[in-house]
Amino acid sequence: MTWLRVPLCLELVGPLHVGFLPNRPGAVLAQTRCYVPGKNLWGAVTATVTPWLYPTPRAGNFRDVGASIREQMVFSYFYLSDGQQLFTPDYGENGLQWGELEDRTFRSQFIGSQVSSAIGEVGGAEQTSLHEIEFIRNYVGSPGKASRKVLLSGAVWVRKDASIAQSALTVRDGSVFLNEVDVFQEIVVGGERNYGFGRLRRIPIPRQLEAILINLWPDNPGEVYKDEYFCLPAHVSYRKDLIFKGEIEMLAGREYPHNIDGSGFHGAGKSITNAGYFFAPGTRLYGNRMVIRMDPVGRFVWFQ
């Protein structure tokens, strides 16, 4: 089966918040991930292309298009970049680093926060509504230097001769097109969209960055990795028989359940899914007979 790999570079038009569960008990800070998992990209593409295919889409249309995209495309995790380097995590000898930057330095440059509150009927802040939102900045700078745009970069794979709802899905001009429309021309990812967060726009990928992505992600997403050591570029489910240096996290999230006939979604975000415990990206794994491969949303799965 033939896959076409497409390295992509997305420019942050505004700040970006990629939240995750569970929140810490009593916390008022909504933390953000410092990267975008493939599942978030899959959701953003589904939300973008479904209205192109169905002028008045129903919930079932989003579900069906999303399932088709999972069959026809694979999404890697996307990491921050300055156009020259890719800030992938690594729990090395000196703790967590992002590219060549220590975690503290990386966060001071790329991560910001703002305090918000719900406004009551009389114009004042509602009680218990005060909270802080962490976000990825869309511009970074330092004293004496001009500010620069923050980029997000990764790869997608498209099956040769792919189609969605009888519309051709093709690779050309450094992107993916559905009929004649660039799927990644502009998409919205993550939360806090009422604040204008999450807008991403595709730009031509710098040659140096493209070389890094080609080295990081394989030609074929079905490629099997076999080794006694991995530094993970994505999540993989926890195994107690492995020695590791890094973090374990529970992958949980909020989704939109639909009713029995599939005509509409109800209780948006009230359905919490729990995929279990995973080694986090950047974790170093050591063990015998470790064999992994990618799934459609960029996570690694143990291959038997």
Side-chain angles (χ1 to χ4, degrees), residues 216-230:
L216 178 62
W217 302 110
D219 281 332
N220 187 339
E223 180 176 321
V224 175
Y225 297 78
K226 301 179 181 180
D227 211 331
E228 295 182 355
Y229 161 76
F230 289 115

Side-chain angles (χ1 to χ4, degrees), residues 121-229:
E121 294 180 358
V122 296
E126 291 187 356
Q127 287 189 335
T128 72
S129 69
L130 185 67
H131 63 286
E132 187 174 2
I133 301 168
E134 198 176 59
F135 58 84
I136 300 170
R137 296 186 175 105
N138 58 313
Y139 278 97
V140 295
S142 57
K145 295 184 179 180
S147 61
R148 62 188 189 276
K149 292 287 291 184
V150 176
L151 308 176
L152 191 68
S153 199
V156 299
W157 294 260
V158 180
R159 290 187 193 272
K160 189 176 180 180
D161 300 322
S163 65
I164 298 175
Q166 300 182 339
S167 296
L169 195 65
T170 58
V171 173
R172 68 174 189 272
D173 302 328
S175 190
V176 181
F177 286 75
L178 185 65
N179 290 333
E180 297 301 318
V181 184
D182 185 348
V183 170
F184 293 96
Q185 179 178 356
E186 185 163 318
I187 59 175
V188 182
V189 173
E192 306 301 335
R193 300 181 188 184
N194 290 338
Y195 297 101
F197 286 12
R199 290 177 59 206
L200 306 175
R201 178 189 299 128
R202 187 182 71 84
I203 63 172
I205 187 167
R207 184 167 299 179
Q208 185 172 340
L209 182 58
E210 183 177 20
I212 294 172
L213 293 173
I214 289 174
N215 185 60
L216 178 62
W217 302 110
D219 281 332
N220 187 339
E223 180 176 321
V224 175
Y225 297 78
K226 301 179 181 180
D227 211 331
E228 295 182 355
Y229 161 76

Side-chain angles (χ1 to χ4, degrees), residues 50-70:
T50 303
W52 298 349
L53 299 168
Y54 302 95
T56 54
R58 297 165 62 88
N61 299 135
F62 283 96
R63 183 183 62 248
D64 294 343
V65 170
S68 182
I69 290 174
R70 274 181 175 258

Side-chain angles (χ1 to χ4, degrees), residues 5-301:
R5 179 182 57 190
V6 187
L8 290 171
C9 185
L10 306 174
E11 179 184 76
L12 273 68
V13 179
L16 174 63
H17 174 83
V18 183
F20 57 98
L21 296 174
N23 293 327
R24 295 175 182 174
V28 295
L29 173 65
Q31 293 181 291
T32 184
R33 294 190 185 279
C34 299
Y35 56 89
V36 178
K39 185 175 181 180
N40 294 70
L41 269 298
W42 163 75
V45 170
T46 299
T48 298
V49 305
T50 303
W52 298 349
L53 299 168
Y54 302 95
T56 54
R58 297 165 62 88
N61 299 135
F62 283 96
R63 183 183 62 248
D64 294 343
V65 170
S68 182
I69 290 174
R70 274 181 175 258
E71 295 175 355
Q72 307 296 330
M73 298 180 68
V74 173
F75 299 82
S76 80
Y77 280 37
F78 277 56
Y79 289 97
L80 299 185
S81 173
D82 59 4
Q84 297 181 329
Q85 59 181 318
L86 191 67
F87 296 104
T88 53
D90 181 10
Y91 287 87
E93 298 301 322
N94 298 316
L96 176 59
Q97 288 190 263
W98 299 86
E100 298 178 355
L101 299 180
E102 294 182 354
D103 182 56
R104 180 180 297 182
T105 302
F106 172 81
R107 289 179 176 275
S108 68
Q109 289 187 20
F110 289 95
I111 306 300
S113 66
Q114 68 180 35
V115 176
S116 300
S117 175
I119 303 299
E121 294 180 358
V122 296
E126 291 187 356
Q127 287 189 335
T128 72
S129 69
L130 185 67
H131 63 286
E132 187 174 2
I133 301 168
E134 198 176 59
F135 58 84
I136 300 170
R137 296 186 175 105
N138 58 313
Y139 278 97
V140 295
S142 57
K145 295 184 179 180
S147 61
R148 62 188 189 276
K149 292 287 291 184
V150 176
L151 308 176
L152 191 68
S153 199
V156 299
W157 294 260
V158 180
R159 290 187 193 272
K160 189 176 180 180
D161 300 322
S163 65
I164 298 175
Q166 300 182 339
S167 296
L169 195 65
T170 58
V171 173
R172 68 174 189 272
D173 302 328
S175 190
V176 181
F177 286 75
L178 185 65
N179 290 333
E180 297 301 318
V181 184
D182 185 348
V183 170
F184 293 96
Q185 179 178 356
E186 185 163 318
I187 59 175
V188 182
V189 173
E192 306 301 335
R193 300 181 188 184
N194 290 338
Y195 297 101
F197 286 12
R199 290 177 59 206
L200 306 175
R201 178 189 299 128
R202 187 182 71 84
I203 63 172
I205 187 167
R207 184 167 299 179
Q208 185 172 340
L209 182 58
E210 183 177 20
I212 294 172
L213 293 173
I214 289 174
N215 185 60
L216 178 62
W217 302 110
D219 281 332
N220 187 339
E223 180 176 321
V224 175
Y225 297 78
K226 301 179 181 180
D227 211 331
E228 295 182 355
Y229 161 76
F230 289 115
C231 180
L232 294 171
H235 288 97
V236 69
S237 59
Y238 170 73
R239 274 177 46 180
K240 64 181 180 181
D241 62 315
L242 298 178
I243 298 172
F244 73 96
K245 183 175 183 179
E247 287 192 6
I248 299 170
E249 66 169 293
M250 183 175 67
L251 280 188
R254 297 183 182 275
E255 296 194 353
Y256 295 78
H258 55 83
N259 60 9
I260 295 175
D261 64 10
S263 62
F265 292 108
H266 301 277
K270 291 184 178 180
S271 176
I272 296 179
T273 62
N274 181 3
Y277 289 97
F278 284 71
F279 293 112
T283 297
R284 296 186 176 191
L285 299 181
Y286 307 86
N288 295 321
R289 299 175 60 83
M290 292 193 298
V291 185
I292 57 177
R293 60 183 294 273
M294 291 178 64
D295 74 4
V297 291
R299 295 177 190 169
F300 282 91
V301 295

